[in-house]
Amino acid sequence: MKKYLLYILRLLRIFTAIFRISLVADLEFRTHFFFKIIVDIIWYGSQLAIFEALFCYTSTLGSWTIDQTRVFLGVLFISDALYMIFFSLNVENFTDIIQKGDLDMILTKPVSSQLMISCRKMSIANVGSLLISIIWTIWAISNLPQSSINDHNIFLRTLWLIILIPSGLMIHYSIRFMLLSLNLIFIRADYLQFLWFQFYRFSFRSDSLFPPNIRIILLTILPLGFIASVPSRIVIDPPSFELYAMCIGGGIGLSVFFIFLSSLTWNWALKFYSSASS
Amino acid sequence: MNLYLSKNSNGGSKNSNGGSKNFNGSGKNNKGRLGKIFINRLKRMIIKNWSFAKMAIITNMEYRFNFFIDIFIQPIVGSLVELTLWLAVFSSISSKTIGGFTIQHYLSYVIWAAFISRITTNWMYEFKMVEDIEKGTLNTLLLRPISFFETYLSQFLGYKFMTTAFSLFVPILVVSIFQWPMLWERIPVAFILIFYYLIFAHLISFIVATISFHYTKVISFSVAKNILLWTLSGEFIPMDLFPKAYIYPILIHLPFANGVYIPVGFLTGRFSWDVLWLGFISTTLGILAVSPLAYWCWKQGLKVYTGTGA
């Protein structure tokens, strides 16, 4: 037990150091820092505009109303902001790290190489986007019809998001990381990253919008539905056994499984790595 | 555009001097001689630009799998996501039409929009221009007998021409199989507008790239610009779904609408020829408005450029 506590404390120290270094680095380019927040606001605005325009013509979309869809979008924005903070900068430089031989240095450090390569830089500017997303989500939840707020203890159930959003984030990260690991084998696997962005678009929509066959894929093999769609359900949909089973068993269980799978993939792919500029 | 042809103009001035010897001759001869000079210069310009366009085609064909993903898989997956959205929208409403158009109109729009937006988006050459300025490799390009603007415009057009030639059959095939609305005779004119719009798109990219003369990191500007263009071009949803009283009339008059909405709407029969002509006019006005700004940004950038890389 003490061993695990020490390990967690060590991780916290590492993350604090990474946060400090990243903050200093980010503030060096102040225009870029503020523009990053603006980029996110533009992206949020474009996603909101699509649904606001669509709901001018229909009252429900895949069983959700405009108020419920706003909650879903809020959860999606939070998950995206967290991904941007912790992983975006690192995954963008992944190919370069391998090609320039910087991975050699990372492999020699006394910390998990997967952790180091995935989290060695943070995008602090996106903390601003995260705050905006959280405020939007709280506003969207408080705007849900009064009946669903009173009937289903919605604010208590909102607390589930503290677990479910990070679970979805881990699934998102694991899939991306597994694809990136293939760079060790194929050297230039940029095309897989481009392809990933297209598949990632499935998470921008509620899983209930998709036909049953695609929906099954999005909740099992390629569980993009757990990034925002399933976590939103815990707040939006009436509580039921199936819902909790899907959130806890599916969301949390799959995130643990995918993290494990990403670690296996990384260790396997490392066997193909033949040092600098390979 | 001619604002960026300063180097060609210098090259051309030799011919003009040569031509001045004959100014004693008749006006008719002079006109003929000037015409020849103009044609020669034009020929030279086309040959130079064509060689860069060819280079872009060859370079991109080198990584065939990347190319295959870029022009086929990405738009296919993207359109699949959007198709499901529209199927869900129509299954949620009691009416058979939205904004006066049937589900087939929307499905046809989605499939065409996915492919045409791949053609009108400019990431690669914008990043290359930024990289040249940031790393100082712009020095070598400044010594070439072709301007920086033209170098990338010809590569951009060459690459997009190839993308169009290879990927066009996918939406045509899908639309034909499912018999979704499509006006075949409109394809050539719609693509003339798309390629005309590419000049405007490149000008915008050029302006974004010149920001890197002053700031080290401009990727966020690029991303912001592209997200705005996607939204304003109608890639996500047809613009006629936006409120008709105030948002739609503004969006349709902006040149950005020519990136997706106007050519796709024209192809799928959402509107008549009038809107297409409006598209040509707004693109022309867009180019005229943005060109001086691009030229000014370039000149301002060169003043602070040290040639050593950031």
Side-chain angles (χ1 to χ4, degrees):
Chain A
M1 188 69 185
K2 195 182 169 189
K3 191 179 145 192
Y4 288 114
L5 268 175
L6 284 172
Y7 181 70
I8 291 168
L9 279 174
R10 190 166 159 237
L11 282 182
L12 279 175
R13 270 204 309 275
I14 292 171
F15 273 105
T16 314
I18 291 172
F19 182 86
R20 225 179 15 236
I21 295 163
S22 305
L23 182 66
V24 172
D26 265 9
L27 285 175
E28 205 181 327
F29 305 103
R30 277 179 287 275
T31 315
H32 181 65
F33 184 89
F34 292 112
F35 226 81
K36 263 179 154 179
I37 301 173
I38 293 170
V39 168
D40 277 348
I41 293 171
I42 293 171
W43 185 69
Y44 300 159
S46 69
Q47 291 301 313
L48 289 169
I50 294 168
F51 283 100
E52 295 289 336
L54 285 176
F55 275 103
C56 291
Y57 299 89
T58 175
S59 54
T60 58
L61 209 52
S63 79
W64 284 351
T65 61
I66 179 75
D67 297 318
Q68 292 168 328
T69 305
R70 282 179 189 144
V71 175
F72 159 73
L73 287 171
V75 174
L76 174 69
F77 298 158
I78 292 175
S79 180
D80 183 72
L82 286 170
Y83 180 82
M84 293 300 287
I85 292 168
F86 290 104
F87 306 116
S88 66
L89 290 178
N90 306 295
V91 297
E92 277 165 21
N93 296 326
F94 198 94
T95 317
D96 275 356
I97 288 170
I98 292 166
Q99 285 181 346
K100 289 178 182 169
D102 292 350
L103 184 60
D104 297 6
M105 279 287 289
I106 292 169
L107 289 173
T108 56
K109 289 188 178 175
V111 195
S112 154
S113 57
Q114 182 178 351
L115 178 85
M116 212 47 209
I117 202 166
S118 309
C119 306
R120 66 195 196 121
K121 277 182 193 166
M122 282 186 191
S123 176
I124 309 300
N126 291 97
V127 173
S129 319
L130 178 66
L131 290 174
I132 294 167
S133 311
I134 291 171
I135 292 167
W136 170 268
T137 311
I138 293 169
W139 174 81
I141 291 172
S142 63
N143 258 11
L144 284 171
Q146 203 58 39
S147 56
S148 66
I149 292 175
N150 294 336
D151 293 352
H152 309 132
N153 287 324
I154 210 157
F155 293 112
L156 274 178
R157 287 201 287 141
T158 304
L159 294 176
W160 273 101
L161 292 180
I162 297 168
I163 300 168
L164 292 176
I165 291 176
S167 301
L169 180 70
M170 284 300 113
I171 292 172
H172 179 183
Y173 155 75
S174 304
I175 299 172
R176 189 81 205 273
F177 189 78
M178 282 190 274
L179 284 174
L180 285 167
S181 301
L182 297 179
N183 273 297
L184 288 168
I185 302 165
F186 301 115
I187 312 299
R188 276 210 93 90
D190 295 350
Y191 47 86
L192 289 175
Q193 312 315 317
F194 299 142
L195 193 57
W196 161 251
F197 287 119
Q198 295 304 319
F199 281 110
Y200 180 47
R201 287 174 69 172
F202 278 104
S203 65
F204 296 179
R205 307 277 186 259
S206 155
D207 63 285
S208 60
L209 284 179
F210 298 107
N213 294 341
I214 295 178
R215 191 165 178 247
I216 289 170
I217 294 170
L218 292 179
L219 295 175
T220 52
I221 308 163
L222 193 67
L224 296 169
F226 288 96
I227 293 175
S229 195
V230 173
S232 318
R233 286 187 179 283
I234 205 93
V235 184
I236 296 166
D237 289 354
S240 65
F241 175 75
E242 289 84 12
L243 181 67
Y244 283 102
M246 185 161 71
C247 290
I248 300 165
I252 302 171
L254 275 174
S255 70
V256 174
F257 174 71
F258 269 80
I259 284 282
F260 176 68
L261 206 62
S262 72
S263 175
L264 279 183
T265 313
W266 175 243
N267 289 323
W268 170 71
L270 270 179
K271 289 177 187 163
F272 294 86
Y273 181 59
S274 49
S275 196
S277 308
S278 60
Chain B
M1 252 236 300
N2 288 328
L3 297 165
Y4 307 100
L5 304 178
S6 53
K7 279 177 190 154
N8 294 326
S9 309
N10 291 338
S13 64
K14 285 176 191 167
N15 294 329
S16 310
N17 291 338
S20 65
K21 286 175 189 170
N22 299 308
F23 279 154
N24 298 327
S26 69
K28 211 177 183 181
N29 281 344
N30 283 339
K31 267 186 191 171
R33 170 97 31 201
L34 284 172
K36 259 188 187 172
I37 290 167
F38 176 74
I39 289 168
N40 282 338
R41 283 176 62 177
L42 193 72
K43 244 191 214 169
R44 258 211 315 247
M45 197 182 89
I46 290 170
I47 291 167
K48 271 191 280 188
N49 282 283
W50 172 238
S51 61
F52 277 99
K54 228 164 44 181
M55 189 176 79
I57 294 171
I58 294 164
T59 316
N60 284 293
M61 287 295 278
E62 214 178 314
Y63 300 101
R64 282 183 201 90
F65 200 74
N66 274 7
F67 179 68
F68 176 74
I69 298 274
D70 184 30
I71 65 164
F72 292 117
I73 306 297
Q74 286 199 66
I76 287 172
V77 177
S79 49
L80 189 68
V81 177
E82 299 305 320
L83 285 174
T84 53
L85 175 74
W86 284 104
L87 289 170
V89 170
F90 273 91
S91 67
S92 310
I93 57 165
S94 51
S95 166
K96 282 187 176 173
T97 59
I98 293 179
F101 298 103
T102 62
I103 184 167
Q104 285 80 13
H105 276 98
Y106 285 93
L107 299 182
S108 183
Y109 185 93
V110 164
I111 193 94
W112 274 105
F115 280 85
I116 288 179
S117 74
R118 296 295 309 158
I119 297 168
T120 53
T121 307
N122 187 10
W123 283 105
M124 188 182 8
Y125 291 105
E126 189 170 307
F127 284 155
K128 283 189 177 178
M129 285 192 283
V130 169
E131 205 177 86
D132 279 337
I133 295 168
E134 276 181 1
K135 292 186 176 170
T137 43
L138 174 66
N139 299 356
T140 52
L141 292 174
L142 289 174
L143 296 171
R144 287 185 186 177
I146 186 166
S147 69
F148 179 64
F149 178 83
E150 271 183 288
T151 305
Y152 281 107
L153 176 64
S154 20
Q155 289 189 60
F156 177 53
L157 291 177
Y159 175 58
K160 293 302 179 183
F161 178 76
M162 185 182 61
T163 309
T164 309
F166 278 92
S167 66
L168 194 62
F169 82 93
V170 180
I172 289 179
L173 199 71
V174 174
V175 167
S176 311
I177 292 170
F178 293 104
Q179 296 186 325
W180 291 339
M182 168 76 205
L183 297 162
W184 303 100
E185 69 280 5
R186 290 183 173 187
I187 291 179
V189 194
F191 275 87
I192 290 171
L193 177 64
I194 290 166
F195 273 82
Y196 189 39
Y197 171 80
L198 288 183
I199 298 169
F200 174 73
H202 181 69
L203 275 164
I204 302 274
S205 291
F206 185 78
I207 292 172
V208 172
T210 57
I211 298 172
S212 58
F213 279 118
H214 310 277
Y215 296 103
T216 314
K217 289 190 174 188
V218 296
I219 184 158
S220 46
F221 288 94
S222 281
V223 178
K225 181 216 80 179
N226 279 325
I227 296 175
L228 269 177
L229 285 187
W230 288 332
T231 312
L232 297 174
S233 69
E235 186 197 340
F236 299 133
I237 53 168
M239 282 177 182
D240 41 53
L241 291 184
F242 285 111
K244 287 216 166 68
Y246 45 97
I247 297 180
Y248 178 70
I250 297 169
L251 292 179
I252 190 79
H253 285 93
L254 292 175
F256 312 110
N258 301 298
V260 175
Y261 178 68
I262 293 182
V264 174
F266 182 68
L267 281 172
T268 54
R270 290 182 96 87
F271 41 68
S272 64
W273 287 81
D274 301 351
V275 182
L276 186 88
W277 300 133
L278 177 74
F280 276 105
I281 293 166
S282 63
T283 308
T284 309
L285 291 176
I287 290 171
L288 288 175
V290 170
S291 290
L293 180 67
Y295 180 70
W296 182 79
C297 290
W298 172 249
K299 284 288 172 197
Q300 292 302 310
L302 280 184
K303 278 182 192 168
V304 293
Y305 181 63
T306 55
T308 52

